[in-house]
Amino acid sequence: MSHRASTWLRFGFIRRYPFDLAAVSVGAVVAYLLVTRFGTESELRLFAMVPLVLFLPGYALVSTLFPTDKRSANRTAATAAEARPRGIDGIERMGLAFVLSLAIVPLIVLVLPVTDWGLSAQSIAAAFAAVTVVLAQLGVVRRVRTPDTERFTVAPIASLRRLRNAGVTASSVVLVIAIGTAVSALFVGVLLPVSAGGYTELALYSETDDGEVVAGELPSDVAPGTSIPITIAIENHEGAQQDYTVVIQQQVLEDDAVVERTELQRLNTTVADGTTARSEQSVTPTVAANETVRISVLLYHDEPPATPTNENAAEETHFWVNVTDR
């Protein structure tokens, strides 16, 4: 007895694998590699981000939602219900790809900051590449399961002929407007912040009696000579490894103006992109009893200026301490 070999186990499935979705998957992986290999100053990196964020994930999603071709439903239509288009054509796919890509952008940007990867050029590229590849494979499965007479296939020459013969329609104008809006929003909301170098976050924490690290619970009153334990956190989202200098400064203010500065500590650290460095320190105010001082933590890229201030720091945070002998 002979058994029919499955085309999924031979080369039948490979021959039926949609060329456009294969190109989309490969393009997403290549774009991710380019983004991670080149620095923020590289134009090639920005060039790779454009299709990865603007087009590829949306096209993969469109392919998953619409595996059929619009023209196939009209061939055997017998009733009004069957005459309705079951899919979309190539021109509509291109327009929807831009619009749906724009819809995917805020979802990824909102989710990444709450993950361990954070929001950086590398994590954005990785997320878009992963979403694109997964959606493309789902699109492959749906399209392969669609009958040959109804399945959407890529025929570039035929598509160009249909576009030339069809002329400019109202739907084409709407698609052009949607694509223009998507491009503008993308460059303003995603690409420009990434290409500008990202950002750095500075935070100050203290440890409770239970050993939990929390924010906003530093002591406001201490005795003279008492050390205040603090935890300094530096979160790097600059798109590349950064060298930082932290200056811990005691400041005496009169009429909201600093009249005396005393440097208590200076720290140097290197933080990889997308990671957070924490340093536990002890700060001891040097003023006499019954005086109030401001303890400022000033963050600089590389070396600070000769006179570090809250105004010339890249990031700053501070807390007030009242030194009392009571």
Side-chain angles (χ1 to χ4, degrees):
M1 180 182 294
S2 61
H3 297 275
R4 184 178 179 181
S6 173
T7 57
W8 288 70
L9 299 179
R10 288 189 170 183
F11 298 101
F13 176 72
I14 297 178
R15 289 195 298 268
R16 299 170 62 192
Y17 197 99
F19 171 80
D20 56 331
L21 293 179
V24 165
S25 300
V26 173
V29 174
V30 171
Y32 166 74
L33 295 176
L34 291 176
V35 171
T36 55
R37 291 292 179 89
F38 294 92
T40 55
E41 70 283 353
S42 174
E43 295 181 358
L44 185 59
R45 183 184 190 181
L46 181 61
F47 178 78
M49 284 292 290
V50 171
L52 180 60
V53 178
L54 181 63
F55 177 74
L56 297 180
Y59 187 88
L61 180 56
V62 170
S63 300
T64 303
L65 297 176
F66 302 100
T68 59
D69 196 350
K70 182 177 182 178
R71 64 181 183 276
S72 62
N74 295 326
R75 295 179 180 175
T76 60
T79 64
E82 292 176 348
R84 275 182 285 175
R86 298 175 57 190
I88 57 177
D89 58 24
I91 300 174
E92 293 169 329
R93 287 175 187 273
M94 298 293 287
L96 280 177
F98 285 95
V99 175
L100 292 181
S101 292
L102 183 62
I104 294 174
V105 169
L107 298 178
I108 292 179
V109 173
L110 289 174
V111 170
L112 281 179
V114 301
T115 65
D116 295 335
W117 298 285
L119 189 64
S120 65
Q122 284 80 1
S123 63
I124 291 175
F128 275 102
V131 168
T132 300
V133 172
V134 171
L135 289 176
Q137 305 320 302
L138 292 176
V140 168
V141 173
R142 292 210 63 198
R143 199 180 293 180
V144 169
R145 291 181 175 178
T146 302
D148 294 344
T149 57
E150 300 178 5
R151 183 187 310 143
F152 173 79
T153 56
V154 176
I157 297 178
S159 298
L160 290 176
R161 289 176 179 174
R162 288 197 303 269
L163 177 61
R164 182 182 60 187
N165 297 333
V168 178
T169 63
S171 61
S172 300
V173 175
V174 173
L175 289 178
V176 170
I177 296 175
I179 292 172
T181 303
V183 172
S184 302
L186 176 68
F187 271 93
V188 173
V190 177
L191 293 183
L192 291 183
V194 171
S195 62
Y199 61 96
T200 298
E201 289 187 357
L202 174 67
L204 200 59
Y205 301 95
S206 62
E207 186 173 323
T208 64
D209 296 337
D210 299 331
E212 182 181 0
V213 177
V214 296
E217 294 191 11
L218 291 164
S220 58
D221 297 287
V222 297
T226 301
S227 296
I228 304 172
I230 61 174
T231 299
I232 301 172
I234 304 173
E235 191 169 350
N236 177 15
H237 296 288
E238 300 288 350
Q241 179 176 287
Q242 296 290 320
D243 295 324
Y244 298 101
T245 300
V246 176
V247 177
I248 304 177
Q249 195 176 82
Q250 171 185 282
Q251 302 169 347
V252 178
L253 282 74
E254 292 182 2
D255 297 328
D256 296 330
V258 178
V259 297
E260 181 182 341
R261 304 176 187 272
T262 303
E263 184 172 315
L264 302 179
Q265 294 183 39
R266 180 172 295 205
L267 313 171
N268 296 297
T269 184
T270 300
V271 184
D273 179 46
T275 63
T276 301
R278 290 181 173 82
S279 177
E280 297 180 358
Q281 302 294 326
S282 293
V283 178
T284 305
T286 60
V287 295
N290 301 319
E291 287 194 41
T292 300
V293 295
R294 184 173 70 182
I295 305 297
S296 293
V297 180
L298 313 177
L299 177 70
Y300 297 89
H301 296 275
D302 298 319
E303 292 298 322
T307 304
T309 66
N310 295 61
E311 291 71 27
N312 61 29
E315 298 290 336
E316 71 89 18
T317 184
H318 59 267
F319 63 98
W320 295 88
V321 176
N322 181 33
V323 180
T324 176
D325 55 358
R326 298 180 182 177

